[in-house]
Amino acid sequence: MKRPIIDLWVGFFVALGIGALVFLALKVGNLASANMSETYVVSARFDNIGGLKVRAPVKSAGVVVGRVTAIGFDQDSYEAVVSMTIDGRYRFPRDTIASILTSGLLGEQYVGFDVGGEPEFLKGGDVIKITQSAVVLEKLIGQFLFNKAAEGPVQEGQGQNNK
């Protein structure tokens, strides 16, 4: 084969490899186009959203039912306002609880829906009233250490049976 033909084939396979890497990066980063046909937008207010990011999944029973589309801050109530796009195939009662949860111990954060029992369903523009903010690991550790320090040192003979 001539040199230009070999160069053409090498270029073709390099372009194919770059295309495969871009596709893989989009799939891993959850940036690929979702197959949600009809959607509706709901929002929820949280005291603390931790490390929640835009495009984070919204899950119910472990199934991705939507995505976080926007995160804002309400200067009147000093709360984070999270807007979520929910797939129209899934309907949730109006008394659904939105919680910010973490995948694993230090994994990504997502919004989890715990369904209620009300007969009316959420629709576009509704605000989820019952929310549970993110658990911040640093705060928990700090409270634990502060409580241990407040107990004071254990004195000799305390907690032992002296006979």
Side-chain angles (χ1 to χ4, degrees):
M1 271 195 223
K2 295 183 180 177
R3 180 83 176 160
I5 295 175
I6 293 174
D7 289 345
L8 181 67
W9 280 106
V10 169
F12 173 72
F13 283 113
V14 167
L16 190 65
I18 290 173
L21 286 175
V22 168
F23 176 76
L24 183 63
L26 291 175
K27 282 294 188 185
V28 169
N30 291 326
L31 298 176
S33 61
N35 56 356
M36 293 189 278
S37 52
E38 293 182 24
T39 61
Y40 59 99
V41 177
V42 296
S43 62
R45 296 173 171 271
F46 296 95
D47 292 329
N48 188 343
I49 61 167
L52 187 70
K53 294 179 176 37
V54 174
R55 303 270 318 146
V58 177
K59 297 181 180 181
S60 181
V63 177
V64 176
V65 296
R67 295 269 173 205
V68 173
T69 53
I71 299 173
F73 183 72
D74 184 358
Q75 291 194 7
D76 295 329
S77 64
Y78 299 104
E79 293 177 315
V81 180
V82 177
S83 296
M84 298 161 278
T85 300
I86 308 300
D87 191 333
R89 297 177 293 176
Y90 307 111
R91 300 181 347 167
F92 295 95
R94 292 181 60 98
D95 60 347
T96 295
I97 301 169
S99 305
I100 298 179
L101 305 168
T102 305
S103 296
L105 186 59
L106 298 173
E108 72 170 347
Q109 291 192 312
Y110 64 94
V111 177
F113 281 180
D114 292 320
V115 296
E118 194 169 314
E120 288 186 42
F121 293 103
L122 290 170
K123 55 186 179 297
D126 283 351
V127 177
I128 297 175
K129 303 288 185 204
I130 308 169
T131 61
Q132 181 180 354
S133 295
V135 175
V136 181
L137 192 58
E138 291 85 4
K139 276 187 174 182
L140 286 176
I141 293 171
Q143 287 176 343
F144 175 76
L145 293 175
F146 180 75
N147 289 339
K148 284 295 182 187
E151 290 175 5
V154 177
Q155 294 181 2
E156 199 172 316
Q158 256 187 336
Q160 297 176 356
N161 292 334
N162 294 337
K163 294 185 182 183

